[in-house]
Amino acid sequence: MSEQGLIPITEPQAQSGAIKTTCAYCGVGCGIQTNGQQLTGDSDHPANHGALCIKGASLLETMAYPQRLLYPRVAGKHASWDQALDHIAERFTQIIDESGPEAIGFYVSGQLMTEDYYVANKLMKGYLGAANIDTNSRLCMSSAVMAHQRAFGEDVVPACYADLELCNLLVIVGANTAWTHPIVFRRIQQARSRNPQLKLVVIDPRKTMTAEQADLHLPLRPGSDVALFNGLCRYLQQNNGLDERYIADHVSGYAELSQLLDSAEYEPAAVAATCGVNERDLRAFYHWFCREPKSVTLFCQGVNQSNQGTDKGNSIINAHLLTGRVGKPGASPFSITGQPNAMGGREVGGLATQLAAHMGFSEQHCDRVQRFWRSPTIARKPGLKAVDLFTAVHEKKIRALWVIATNPAISLPDSARVREALANCELLIVSEMTPNTDTAKFADILLPAAGWGERGGTVTNSERCISRQRAFTAPPGEARPDWWALAEVGKRMGFAEAFAYQGLNDILREFAALTAFENQGERQLHLGELAKLSDAELDAWQPARWPLNPAVSIVERDRRFGDGHFSTPDGKARLMAVQPQLPQLDLPAPDASPGRNWLLNTGRLRDQWHTMTRTGHLTRLMETEPYPRISVNHTTLLASGLEQGQLVWIGSRRDQVLARLERDDGLADDEAFMPMHWSDLFTARGGVNRLVAPVVDPISGQPQFKQSRVQVQPFATRWLALWVGQHEPELDALGRDPDWWSRRPVDGGECRLLADASSDQSQLWQAIASRGQWLKLPMPGGWVAVKLSNQRIAGLLLCGDNPWQLNVGLLAGLLATPLNLSLLASTLEQALAGDSRMVCSCMRVSERQIVSAIVEQGIQERSGLQSLLKCGTNCGTCIGEIDKLVAKYRPQ
Ligand SMILES: Nc1nc2c(c(=O)[nH]1)N[C@H]1C(S)=C(S)[C@@H](COP(=O)(O)OP(=O)(O)OC[C@H]3O[C@@H](n4cnc5c(=O)[nH]c(N)nc54)[C@H](O)[C@@H]3O)O[C@H]1N2
Ligand SMILES: Nc1nc2c(c(=O)[nH]1)N[C@H]1C(S)=C(S)[C@@H](COP(=O)(O)OP(=O)(O)OC[C@H]3O[C@@H](n4cnc5c(=O)[nH]c(N)nc54)[C@H](O)[C@@H]3O)O[C@H]1N2
Ligand code: SF4
Ligand SMILES: [Mo]
């Protein structure tokens, strides 16, 4: 294939054989140094100064996907790139001829590089000529984007990470930063130990690990943020907290906001009642915010993923505008991004509601972008937002859909409908690293993508810092960077000149030139300096914050809008008079039992990444939370009549799923929490988005993932068993899959927990006994069946009362060993004694070790545990949990 020679597979090596790159996971954007064998944090990177959390530190290990997609596949058959790309180009051309360009959709991702994103956007909007390209950032950052645009006139994050260290009051709203942005949280922890004045307030319905470490936690009623921040604004008015000069000079909309706030419903007592928080605590927060000029408000999905996500963002920004605290050292609102290049996607214009490079669909912008692209056509109006895009696929208005670097079968709300749409789509193209995702299973054409470490590119993190990812190994098989596949389709559709990129740097320079094109300072997004750099200079690029515009000095680049001049037509920021609204919920099922009718919140776990395609196969990342769960507090558990640890059905008006019922006293009564991560790859009926209604914020189109109405019912477990084996268990003789299973990785094999409601233990034994050679032994609470192959142990099936806590690592150690009955008995005994939960994944320290150091060795302080066991000494994410254990077990 001629094009192959053009792909820049490796980039120049940094000295000492190691290259500098950035992490593939969260929006903190940590710098990494690696030679492909070892990996460390990059001590020169401004985001992390050398620190990494467990996900970043495990990147080399996670690169070994259990199954990589190595070649293109068309209709399930191995195809050449030429065949696949020609096929796509022909079908696109045909569909456009028949149904117009709106019949084609792209659904892309904040995990793409800026270059991939730019080419996708240019192809769709400038060459196919419609704007039906949206991204998973719609599910993630679109409310913040709209809030920024409404308030500042442009989607610009005014702050940088240093502000989190410079402030004296840090308010975290709807974010579990300790788990989701661990290295930012570590910087906060360190700043707090240097500056005891720094107060941390956390506003979250759950007492998360972040809230555990706060000076004040406001466990507000889900969805009530706008009332809380409107109350703050009124408090500022009434307690001399306004910066009147700033408001007069730099802000519009004050009269409308004042009128809204002129209501007793925003008095602290009334707000406390609306939000369900203690009035004294609320007043303490208001007082602190009113008096402390150096305050930063950090927010994420508890704000964005709501039916009024945009309004929530604006209500936070209002409080900062009223006090003149925007873009100043230690004083700013700060929307933090989720994915590694969520910000880069916003820059190129990957959202259907933007055209390109911070320009919209005004005639002037469309003409300007079209002239720059010299394109035959240009999208003239916004395209469909993610949820609507999939509705259009479902309705067959979109006939061809290209999904790149995202897993919508799991991550979009109302998954049953999304799956129907994917299954019935006339032409579904999926670009992936693995064929084994819930979305890839529906694809007509699968394109193998080069992933982290195999391809380079540019990313922008939460603080507008542009870094480069660099390749250090060749992609396997015929995997190729996504931009290349997109450009090839463009060329094959007849746009050879527009997509004749020789490599990443050509694309980056073109994008940078677009940001500077006819930009006399109206658009803050200005990367003009990049456009002038040579390949060698771009390859050696060091992280830097935009604007990259000679008119803006290096110091000024740290923060934006600090001078009070905004990107609006009149240069003033806009206050938005926003009214509180309740979450929009499905009605409860008519037969829902009292006490089993809960409000479901969803979010992330510390050690997993999204749909687990990247992290679920690594034993040590699965150890802390190996099974899908739903948690409620003690009171709710009692009221439900259900038991902690049992399997339950969780149903909504949409669908139902199964998970283990667990207790978490950090939740309010009748509020439940489920992690978002489990997919059909890891459990029989997981996928929390089966339950979530496709309710969206009307302004941003972002789904309300954080609130759903659900009902629970017990699952009538008749047997529960744990399988640890070299291969998957053979249960064909059962005639079907067991009703429930959940998979976790173990070293050297497969591990599954299985449960069934329609057969009993003896039927299970019969089902396996008919296949191969087995040894069945009694075990306390049940039995164990040992599968033998040439007198070696090939698998163990433990059927009993409580296989949840068995130490699977010890059992896996028996695989492939010759049968030795006394060793088997002693290992079983130890395994039955249970596994201890891993508290510190980085240093691999379990709860049992920590408790024994406290109880048996009399260690009274966290610092003692840190020096003895080293727990909490790397990324610091588990410090809150260590403190909790110290408080619980320390002799009084
Ligand atoms: N370990 C890990 N880290 C990640 C990711 C991951 O998958 N795993 N993903 C990355 C991505 S893409 C993103 S977007 C970020 C997300 O980062 P976060 O937003 O910090 O994470 P979430 O767990 O989704 O939700 C945040 C919190 O919102 C709270 N919440 C729910 N409803 C409300 C409400 O009405 N009001 C308020 N104030 N709070 C509410 C929830 O209880 C939850 O604790 O994480 C990034 N980092
Ligand atoms: N209930 C609920 N649902 C949610 C959320 C929630 O809080 N609650 N959060 C939402 C948010 S904020 C987000 S960001 C989404 C995330 O949801 P998704 O984007 O669907 O999740 P990922 O698992 O990150 O999927 C990325 C896929 O891209 C593949 N991949 C990785 N690198 C590359 C590459 O370079 N090229 C290509 N072609 N493929 C690649 C990976 O193998 C993986 O399968 O989920 C959303 N859904
Ligand atoms: S904090 Fe985020 S960017 Fe940094 S190492 Fe962890 S996952 Fe990667
Ligand atoms: Mo996200």
Side-chain angles (χ1 to χ4, degrees), residues 2-8 114-127 348 356 369 372-375 468 481-492 495-514 535 538:
S2 58
E3 290 77 9
Q4 254 175 268
L6 302 180
I7 305 164
T114 297
E115 293 82 355
D116 303 315
Y117 236 136
Y118 176 78
V119 176
N121 195 51
K122 178 179 175 183
L123 177 61
M124 175 54 90
K125 290 175 182 155
Y127 288 81
V348 301
V369 175
F372 180 86
W373 279 340
R374 280 181 279 163
S375 64
R468 282 222 121 178
D482 294 302
W483 68 259
W484 178 83
L486 285 155
E488 280 302 312
V489 169
K491 287 189 212 165
R492 286 161 209 248
F495 314 123
E497 205 183 321
F499 295 95
Y501 303 113
Q502 300 292 305
L504 287 169
N505 293 331
D506 289 351
I507 307 172
L508 186 60
R509 277 186 292 257
E510 181 182 307
F511 166 54
L514 174 60
D535 282 351
L538 283 177

Side-chain angles (χ1 to χ4, degrees), residues 446-461:
L446 269 174
L447 299 177
W452 186 85
E454 301 158 359
R455 48 108 177 96
T458 307
V459 292
T460 312
N461 72 2

Side-chain angles (χ1 to χ4, degrees), residues 24-25 65 107-113 116 136-141 300-301 305 338-339 342 402-413 430-434 436-439 447-452 454-455 469 480-482 600-604 609-615 673-677 687-690 692 702-706 708:
Y25 300 113
Y65 271 58
Y107 185 58
V108 301
S109 164
Q111 293 168 67
L112 289 177
M113 304 295 95
D116 303 315
N136 65 359
S137 286
R138 182 69 59 194
L139 320 179
C140 180
M141 300 316 304
C300 204
Q301 299 314 336
Q305 289 172 343
Q339 298 173 91
W402 191 349
V403 175
I404 313 181
T406 175
N407 193 2
I410 295 297
S411 54
L412 275 172
V430 176
S431 294
E432 248 298 346
M433 293 170 66
T434 165
N436 217 357
T437 76
D438 293 63
T439 303
L447 299 177
W452 186 85
E454 301 158 359
R455 48 108 177 96
Q469 286 197 5
R480 295 286 170 262
D482 294 302
L600 179 69
N601 177 359
T602 66
R604 290 156 172 81
W609 180 257
H610 295 161
T611 67
M612 295 182 12
T613 50
R614 287 178 152 190
T615 45
F673 179 81
M674 284 181 84
M676 65 170 289
H677 306 292
V688 71
N689 284 323
R690 288 196 154 95
V692 175
Q702 182 156 351
Q704 172 193 269
F705 284 118
K706 294 288 185 256
S708 308

Side-chain angles (χ1 to χ4, degrees), residues 14 18-26 29-36 38-60 62-63 183 452-453 467-470 472 543:
I19 53 109
K20 288 192 172 193
T21 183
T22 61
C23 178
Y25 300 113
C26 84
C30 295
I32 282 178
Q33 188 157 334
T34 182
N35 58 8
Q38 270 124 13
L39 178 151
T40 58
D42 173 3
S43 50
D44 296 329
H45 198 285
N48 59 321
H49 306 295
L52 292 178
C53 80
I54 180 81
K55 293 191 301 304
S58 308
L59 264 166
L60 290 178
T62 47
M63 280 177 85
I183 297 306
W452 186 85
S467 303
R468 282 222 121 178
Q469 286 197 5
R470 296 183 173 89
F472 53 85

